[in-house]
Amino acid sequence: MQLQVLLNSFDNTYVFLEKIKLAVDNGSSVSLDPFIRMSVGFCLESIFGTAKNKLAIVFPRRFQVSTWISALCALGTLREKHDLLSLNDINFNPGQMLLLNGCLVEYRGTDMNQKKIIVRCRDGQSQIPFNRIIQLAVIKTERQLDRMEELSYACFSEKRVAPLNEILGISNNKIVKQNQNIMLISKIGEAEKTLDESWINGVRLKDLFLWGKVTTEGDVIPIFPYEIAADPLCVIAADYFRASSYLDNTPDKTKAVIMDGLTGCVNNLQIVDDVILDRDIPVIVMLDLSETELLNHLEVRDFRIWQWNRKNFIPGNYDELYKHSVFYPIRKAWENYYELHTVPETCQFPLLTQAMTIAERCIKLVDKNDQQINDILSRIIQVIIGLSRMIRVPTEMWVSEFKSEVGKLDRQTQQARLWISVELERHLSDILELLNRIDINKFIKKNHKTEKLKQLIDNFTGYDGLAIVVHRESEIEKCRDYWMRILSRKNALKVSFYTVRELFETDLTYSPSEIIVCGWLGREKMNRIMSSCFSSKITVLLYPYELKWFNHWEKWWKKQTNYRVKLSDFPRITDLDENELNTSECEDFTEEAELENDIEEFEIRMNRLIYSQYIRRENDNEASQKAKLVRFSENWFSFCTETHRLLVVTDLIRRGISQSDIPRKPVNQIELGDLVLYRDSDNDIIREIADIALKKEGLYYLRERAALWQKALVKKYEQLNNDVDKLWFLLREYGCTRHISTVRNWLFNGSIIGPGKMSDLRIIADATQDEELSANLNVIEDAISQLRSVHHQASSFLQKKMLSEVREIFDDRNFRNKFNKMITLNLEGLGQIYILEVEEIGDEWLNVGAGWINRLLRQEDNIWLG
């Protein structure tokens, strides 16, 4: 169905959207794409109550759509309900700095008879008729006042326009004041980048109306060059904890919540259920195709779900779209999605296929509690999987080292023969014998992946090049070196190498004619490749055992990524049948449960085998804790507990955005692609910097004094049999309005200095009946305030130091774009720190030995892994 047909069937009440022109830097302004208009229409239905107030919209790839839609919904709500400021409402004090139509002036008074406001400029005093003012707010700044000429132009020029008033349909010059805001939960760096680069009706998006960002305490800081006394129309919360704190602090301010992505929502369902959905305010989720597996969490919460799919959206002519057009990346992604087809290319490596067949039998024979044999089998299977993904011919040295490693595994197997069955010993010996027969000649056989890839490259005729996906960062350079030697200059220019992560980071200004994947990379990475919309053709090189997994997974993927839209959930769509909105692909898959379980169990078992030395059985005597596995670049990993907070420096490193505090996020709020800071000791680096300053100034006593509130809270928690629920209910009896997750954070977050608001101190003192806390509230409040200030300074020092060091590694102009692996920095007096990129986050909570949790660990760099 052409999109315009669908748009015509939609009873479009929101005609103000027709007035809006959207652009990005260096691009021309264009009317809203029909899919944006319809998506905003669906959102406003939920916000205004003409349809169910919980909505999810699935895009092939959403890019910056969430920020745009938040802005357009904010305009829609402002148009529906707002106040107009009158001269009688003004209660400024003489001498206050004002922002008047974008000019900095000093307030002197009002002339009620003349209906004018009197202000002082840099070069004199001026009286401005109130009906010429469209912006008026108190600000604090050291900047000089503007001149009278600048103020006159801002108020009286015929060229001066009030774009916001024009969009809202407000005649004459009037100061618009909103009643409520729209909250966007999104990565703050990406959202601010969109605000800087996007333009609506000729005005930069961040200047069209006031935006704000939520602090960890739940307060709002305006996204504005100066401190301004005004309420933002849109507020951005970088995570669900901040969103929760803000909603607790100002429960009636928010008209609707828009969530940028479903993964973060699912990882924080307790906050979503208890803080957001419980308020019965409109909640809208924007998600990608890669997240459709999680839609069941929204279905059970009675969300209505719209998916832009191949049936309800047929792309038009994309060649007409200028590459710098605001909608080009999204529509190019949709074109690739619409035309997507996969080609499983069967390859042959008989020795490896035999080895994997035997290894699958071994997995079923091995006792899961036998760590020694599990470790041997784990390393053997890693060898097979590593070889499965190789798309280059190794060197003689590599083969020599490989055979040495196989010999080591054989000796370990022989040493363990007394504790394993004859059948298992025979299988392991057979696998190692097969692996020992592998040499360079096996990699140049006719149907080996290396030879098959060469044929595909030689026969490739596409215009936009080939993107070859390898399984890890370190393999890119090795493959590039090999293939640049093998290929002709003409063919070498066709080829570029990527990791799965990089497919999702591209803005699609470049989209290759074809992607070739080195092999089966596991269900999660295959999902991301298919959902990247990076190309319309994906070829996967597969050995027979990989082909079995891929074929089953592809059927599952087609079913999983095609949600059936219910027409009854979208009452404004008229004259259409439900079948006209949905594809039939979701009905083509009859689940093969046994194979499905085999693949899933194999991947889970592999993860556990690889990390078996760290994982403990439930009945082990050794101390352990539940933790999730986080894999980073360069073979680094960590087991993160639920309460541990990681220092996230994504915005700082990628975009150069410094903040008062480096964000600390628990594992459930970490996302793929985030950059995380670790150091070579377990000490908190910001606290250590702060402590150095405190000791130098003789203020170290503030640390213990500021912690008295938390000490009292923990004591009461222990008296209540370590029951967080009981403590939360007790605090509520004394007037606490905080969510239980906030109380849990107060208890277990070792980096927290004080509660969000100082009024909470009195509540904690009353609830805990702690005499020391009650007697010293003012002193403790002052200590918390001073300690926070020192920590802000420590955070600022660390950020500047890191940026300085990173710029020495990369060219200043391009360093943010070139970061693609681990960076090691040596900071004087602080030792080494590491900045690593998150490549994978485990789904399950593992029982991990206490000595291994919340530490940076490294997987042995085995030669078969490249």
Side-chain angles (χ1 to χ4, degrees):
M1 178 193 307
Q2 290 291 341
L3 184 56
Q4 192 60 47
V5 176
L6 181 58
L7 185 65
N8 291 340
S9 73
F10 186 70
D11 181 13
N12 188 5
T13 309
Y14 313 111
V15 293
F16 80 95
L17 296 173
E18 297 174 2
K19 301 177 183 179
I20 291 177
K21 304 282 186 182
L22 190 60
V24 290
D25 286 347
N26 303 320
S28 55
S29 293
V30 294
S31 298
L32 291 181
D33 195 293
F35 84 87
I36 287 281
R37 284 177 56 190
M38 281 205 67
S39 298
V40 174
F42 292 149
C43 294
L44 291 176
E45 280 182 336
S46 290
I47 292 171
F48 295 141
T50 55
K52 284 192 293 189
N53 70 352
K54 289 175 285 189
L55 168 70
I57 303 179
V58 185
F59 300 89
R61 275 184 72 177
R62 66 187 186 278
F63 292 98
Q64 61 268 64
V65 159
S66 299
T67 306
W68 292 341
I69 288 182
S70 296
L72 295 169
C73 285
L75 291 173
T77 57
L78 187 61
R79 187 174 185 274
E80 186 78 9
K81 187 176 182 181
H82 58 263
D83 295 327
L84 297 175
L85 194 70
S86 71
L87 194 58
N88 293 325
D89 297 322
I90 290 179
N91 57 356
F92 305 133
N93 297 319
Q96 283 187 304
M97 298 294 113
L98 301 181
L99 192 67
L100 193 160
N101 290 9
C103 293
L104 181 62
V105 297
E106 180 186 304
Y107 177 71
R108 306 298 291 173
T110 56
D111 184 335
M112 300 301 291
N113 293 327
Q114 297 288 326
K115 294 186 177 178
K116 292 182 178 180
I117 181 169
I118 305 167
V119 297
R120 184 176 72 83
C121 299
R122 192 190 315 176
D123 52 351
Q125 190 163 286
S126 180
Q127 296 189 25
I128 305 297
F130 194 70
N131 64 6
R132 305 303 300 178
I133 300 174
I134 58 174
Q135 180 190 40
L136 193 63
V138 175
I139 68 169
K140 291 182 180 179
T141 176
E142 299 298 321
R143 204 192 87 186
Q144 278 190 321
L145 299 178
D146 286 313
R147 297 181 184 277
M148 293 176 66
E149 180 183 1
E150 295 168 312
L151 179 62
S152 178
Y153 180 85
C155 295
F156 300 105
S157 171
E158 292 182 3
K159 295 181 180 179
R160 184 190 62 84
V161 294
L164 184 59
N165 289 15
E166 288 183 347
I167 292 170
L168 300 178
I170 298 172
S171 59
N172 301 321
N173 295 304
K174 295 178 181 177
I175 304 171
V176 180
K177 183 180 178 182
Q178 85 277 7
N179 295 292
Q180 290 181 296
N181 62 44
I182 298 293
M183 174 188 281
L184 169 64
I185 304 176
S186 178
K187 289 185 177 180
I188 190 69
E190 292 181 3
E192 285 199 65
K193 183 173 184 285
T194 302
L195 298 185
D196 275 331
E197 295 178 350
S198 301
W199 297 71
I200 286 183
N201 291 16
V203 180
R204 198 180 293 275
L205 183 50
K206 75 173 183 180
D207 298 327
L208 184 63
F209 54 76
L210 189 62
W211 293 72
K213 53 186 175 184
V214 182
T215 68
T216 52
E217 290 81 26
D219 300 321
V220 171
I221 302 172
I223 300 175
F224 199 73
Y226 320 115
E227 187 178 336
I228 185 168
D231 292 327
L233 180 57
C234 253
V235 297
I236 306 169
D239 53 60
Y240 284 79
F241 185 77
R242 293 172 197 240
S244 165
S245 298
Y246 176 75
L247 291 171
D248 279 344
N249 290 346
T250 53
D252 301 320
K253 281 275 188 182
T254 300
K255 179 70 175 176
V257 175
I258 296 179
M259 302 174 180
D260 185 15
L262 181 52
T263 304
C265 169
V266 171
N267 286 340
N268 294 275
L269 280 176
Q270 185 176 11
I271 291 178
V272 172
D273 286 338
D274 296 349
V275 180
I276 301 176
L277 294 181
D278 191 55
R279 296 176 189 275
D280 199 32
I281 58 176
V283 176
I284 299 157
V285 183
M286 307 289 170
L287 64 142
D288 285 334
L289 198 64
S290 60
E291 299 176 292
T292 51
E293 186 177 2
L294 305 173
L295 276 175
N296 62 298
H297 293 284
L298 301 185
E299 287 185 275
V300 298
R301 288 166 173 81
D302 200 29
F303 274 71
R304 58 192 186 116
I305 299 169
W306 177 271
Q307 179 177 10
W308 290 109
N309 58 38
R310 292 181 180 88
K311 194 71 175 286
N312 60 40
F313 176 64
I314 296 178
N317 184 3
Y318 289 86
D319 294 334
E320 297 175 1
L321 281 172
Y322 178 48
K323 279 203 171 185
H324 291 291
S325 165
V326 65
F327 297 118
Y328 179 85
I330 297 171
R331 294 186 68 184
K332 183 62 181 175
W334 285 22
E335 177 189 34
N336 288 338
Y337 163 67
Y338 182 78
E339 298 177 355
L340 179 65
H341 65 288
T342 56
V343 181
E345 190 71 44
T346 305
C347 305
Q348 299 297 329
F349 198 156
L351 289 179
L352 212 56
T353 300
Q354 292 177 54
M356 179 55 82
T357 301
I358 300 172
E360 288 176 333
R361 293 184 203 141
C362 289
I363 287 177
K364 296 177 179 179
L365 292 173
V366 169
D367 181 353
K368 294 180 181 179
N369 296 321
D370 190 330
Q371 186 169 323
Q372 183 182 11
I373 298 303
N374 273 298
D375 185 53
I376 293 172
L377 182 57
S378 162
R379 296 173 70 191
I380 288 173
I381 294 176
Q382 284 184 74
V383 174
I384 298 171
I385 291 176
L387 288 170
S388 301
R389 296 166 176 172
M390 283 194 72
I391 51 172
R392 58 184 173 87
V393 176
T395 63
E396 291 282 4
M397 181 180 293
W398 186 95
V399 173
S400 175
E401 292 174 346
F402 171 74
K403 289 185 180 294
S404 174
E405 191 65 39
V406 172
K408 187 190 301 182
L409 287 170
D410 188 41
R411 289 191 295 276
Q412 291 175 352
T413 303
Q414 293 303 317
Q415 291 169 3
R417 62 189 301 180
L418 295 176
W419 297 279
I420 60 177
S421 68
V422 174
E423 183 182 12
L424 180 57
E425 180 196 352
R426 186 182 73 250
H427 285 331
L428 292 173
S429 297
D430 288 347
I431 295 173
L432 293 169
E433 192 275 329
L434 289 166
L435 294 176
N436 209 38
R437 287 163 54 190
I438 291 175
D439 56 31
I440 286 179
N441 293 325
K442 302 297 187 297
F443 292 85
I444 54 177
K445 295 288 186 181
K446 182 177 179 181
N447 288 315
H448 185 275
K449 286 186 180 181
T450 305
E451 286 300 302
K452 187 74 75 169
L453 179 57
K454 187 173 187 306
Q455 294 172 24
L456 292 171
I457 295 172
D458 289 341
N459 296 331
F460 177 74
T461 58
Y463 179 74
D464 290 317
L466 269 171
I468 299 176
V469 178
V470 296
H471 64 289
R472 64 190 317 168
E473 187 74 43
S474 59
E475 191 68 10
I476 287 181
E477 187 175 346
K478 293 170 185 175
C479 283
R480 186 183 293 120
D481 289 346
Y482 172 78
W483 286 104
M484 294 307 104
R485 293 197 310 270
I486 298 299
L487 298 173
S488 66
R489 178 176 173 79
K490 178 182 176 182
N491 284 346
L493 292 174
K494 302 175 184 177
V495 175
S496 52
F497 294 89
Y498 291 83
T499 60
V500 176
R501 167 186 60 79
E502 290 171 325
L503 295 187
F504 259 78
E505 290 182 353
T506 176
D507 61 3
L508 287 190
T509 50
Y510 166 67
S511 176
S513 298
E514 182 179 352
I515 294 172
I516 299 178
V517 186
C518 67
W520 173 258
L521 301 182
R523 174 181 263 177
E524 183 177 336
K525 287 187 176 180
M526 297 308 294
N527 288 349
R528 291 181 67 77
I529 292 169
M530 289 285 277
S531 304
S532 70
C533 301
F534 192 43
S535 177
S536 58
K537 182 179 180 183
I538 300 176
T539 298
V540 189
L541 305 175
L542 299 162
Y543 294 128
Y545 51 92
E546 296 178 295
L547 180 63
K548 174 184 67 175
W549 300 336
F550 177 82
N551 284 339
H552 178 80
W553 166 82
E554 186 179 29
K555 294 176 184 177
W556 170 88
W557 186 84
K558 286 181 177 178
K559 176 181 182 246
Q560 196 67 50
T561 54
N562 283 278
Y563 179 85
R564 189 165 186 85
V565 176
K566 297 168 186 169
L567 194 57
S568 58
D569 284 339
F570 298 89
R572 291 185 184 276
I573 296 180
T574 58
D575 304 324
L576 288 179
D577 182 83
E578 196 164 284
N579 290 327
E580 296 179 83
L581 300 177
N582 296 288
T583 69
S584 58
E585 291 179 67
C586 47
E587 300 167 0
D588 292 339
F589 178 52
T590 302
E591 188 164 6
E592 303 161 49
E594 185 175 346
L595 182 55
E596 171 79 12
N597 292 335
D598 282 350
I599 296 171
E600 187 171 352
E601 183 180 343
F602 176 77
E603 293 193 0
I604 291 174
R605 186 76 184 272
M606 272 307 303
N607 268 338
R608 293 194 170 184
L609 284 172
I610 293 170
Y611 301 101
S612 59
Q613 71 183 93
Y614 309 103
I615 298 172
R616 302 293 176 259
R617 297 190 302 273
E618 294 293 342
N619 57 353
D620 275 352
N621 292 326
E622 183 182 344
S624 61
Q625 281 187 256
K626 293 292 184 183
K628 274 191 177 181
L629 170 66
V630 180
R631 290 176 178 165
F632 302 106
S633 46
E634 302 294 303
N635 289 348
W636 294 91
F637 65 95
S638 183
F639 295 104
C640 299
T641 58
E642 186 177 11
T643 56
H644 179 65
R645 278 167 162 71
L646 297 157
L647 285 168
V648 180
V649 294
T650 312
D651 290 337
L652 178 70
I653 300 300
R654 291 209 186 278
R655 300 175 187 89
I657 298 175
S658 298
Q659 302 182 52
S660 58
D661 282 314
I662 297 177
R664 296 174 182 266
K665 297 184 179 182
V667 65
N668 280 346
Q669 292 178 11
I670 297 295
E671 297 185 24
L672 299 181
D674 273 342
L675 302 181
V676 175
L677 183 150
Y678 275 90
R679 65 179 307 200
D680 57 0
S681 80
D682 294 334
N683 295 335
D684 183 323
I685 188 169
I686 293 177
R687 179 171 178 145
E688 187 171 322
I689 296 170
D691 284 348
I692 292 171
L694 289 170
K695 290 173 182 176
K696 184 178 179 181
E697 299 296 327
L699 298 173
Y700 190 68
Y701 64 88
L702 292 175
R703 179 73 67 193
E704 184 176 354
R705 183 178 292 175
L708 287 174
W709 71 275
Q710 193 174 39
K711 181 181 174 182
L713 201 63
V714 170
K715 183 179 177 182
K716 178 58 68 174
Y717 166 70
E718 291 171 348
Q719 290 173 358
L720 295 172
N721 297 319
N722 298 333
D723 190 323
V724 178
D725 288 328
K726 287 181 180 178
L727 179 62
W728 181 52
F729 282 120
L730 175 65
L731 290 168
R732 286 171 66 89
E733 288 177 11
Y734 284 86
C736 180
T737 59
R738 301 292 185 175
H739 184 255
I740 191 172
S741 62
T742 303
V743 176
R744 190 178 289 110
N745 186 52
W746 287 347
L747 286 169
F748 305 121
N749 183 354
S751 62
I752 194 170
I753 296 173
K757 290 191 175 295
M758 292 307 175
S759 57
D760 293 323
L761 275 180
R762 168 60 64 185
I763 293 172
I764 293 170
D766 292 343
T768 59
Q769 299 292 300
D770 186 274
E771 293 181 2
E772 186 177 14
L773 176 59
S774 299
N776 295 282
L777 278 176
N778 292 336
V779 174
I780 294 169
E781 181 177 341
D782 184 60
I784 289 171
S785 179
Q786 290 187 65
L787 198 57
R788 277 183 176 151
S789 177
V790 174
H791 272 246
H792 289 331
Q793 293 171 34
S795 179
S796 177
F797 168 81
L798 180 59
Q799 291 178 78
K800 289 177 182 177
K801 193 77 174 172
M802 281 193 294
L803 280 179
S804 173
E805 294 287 332
V806 169
R807 283 193 173 98
E808 288 185 14
I809 298 173
F810 298 123
D811 175 77
D812 183 63
R813 183 167 51 91
N814 294 319
F815 83 96
R816 294 179 203 117
N817 298 325
K818 289 188 175 181
F819 184 96
N820 57 13
K821 55 184 178 180
M822 182 189 80
I823 286 181
T824 304
L825 304 176
N826 289 295
L827 300 187
E828 186 177 351
L830 298 169
Q832 282 191 328
I833 66 171
Y834 308 100
I835 301 171
L836 304 114
E837 181 163 36
V838 177
E839 292 192 343
E840 194 171 332
I841 304 169
D843 293 326
E844 60 177 334
W845 292 97
L846 303 169
N847 203 42
V848 180
W852 300 113
I853 61 169
N854 303 327
R855 294 174 52 191
L856 186 61
L857 305 166
R858 193 170 193 188
Q859 191 175 328
E860 184 180 350
D861 193 12
N862 298 312
I863 51 102
W864 60 76
L865 294 176

